[in-house]
Amino acid sequence: MVVTWGRSKVHSDFDGNRSSKKYVVVASDSVSVVVRSQDFLSDEDRLLHIHFEGDWYWIETSFGNIREYFRRVSQ
């Protein structure tokens, strides 16, 4: 999975299935940010709390206490 964050849109590519959604930053602190966007699967508005740790960030999935980690890569 490749996730690309732009100024106002997040783009996702998973095995050739591509999607883009607009998002708005709702809050932030020194280690995290909260964005409001439509869920990629259900199209419902969701708040997503993104936690940063070095070159990694993680989110909790909607499936319970499962974290999904992403690594920053240079283009």
Side-chain angles (χ1 to χ4, degrees):
M1 174 180 248
V2 175
V3 179
T4 306
W5 293 87
R7 286 192 175 272
S8 61
K9 280 190 171 183
V10 58
H11 309 275
S12 171
D13 185 343
F14 182 70
D15 288 338
N17 295 315
R18 296 180 179 155
S19 184
S20 297
K21 300 287 183 180
K22 290 183 181 181
Y23 73 90
V24 175
V25 174
V26 176
S28 65
D29 60 24
S30 63
V31 294
S32 66
V33 65
V34 177
V35 297
R36 183 178 63 239
S37 181
Q38 286 184 323
D39 184 82
F40 279 107
L41 299 176
S42 69
D43 284 336
E44 294 179 22
D45 272 355
R46 300 277 188 206
L47 293 177
L48 178 63
H49 195 169
I50 305 167
H51 305 266
F52 300 99
E53 296 178 8
D55 284 338
W56 296 82
Y57 74 89
W58 60 269
I59 59 171
E60 282 192 29
T61 67
S62 55
F63 304 113
N65 293 329
I66 298 172
R67 289 182 179 175
E68 199 167 18
Y69 283 82
F70 298 88
R71 182 174 52 92
R72 180 188 305 233
V73 294
S74 300
Q75 290 185 337

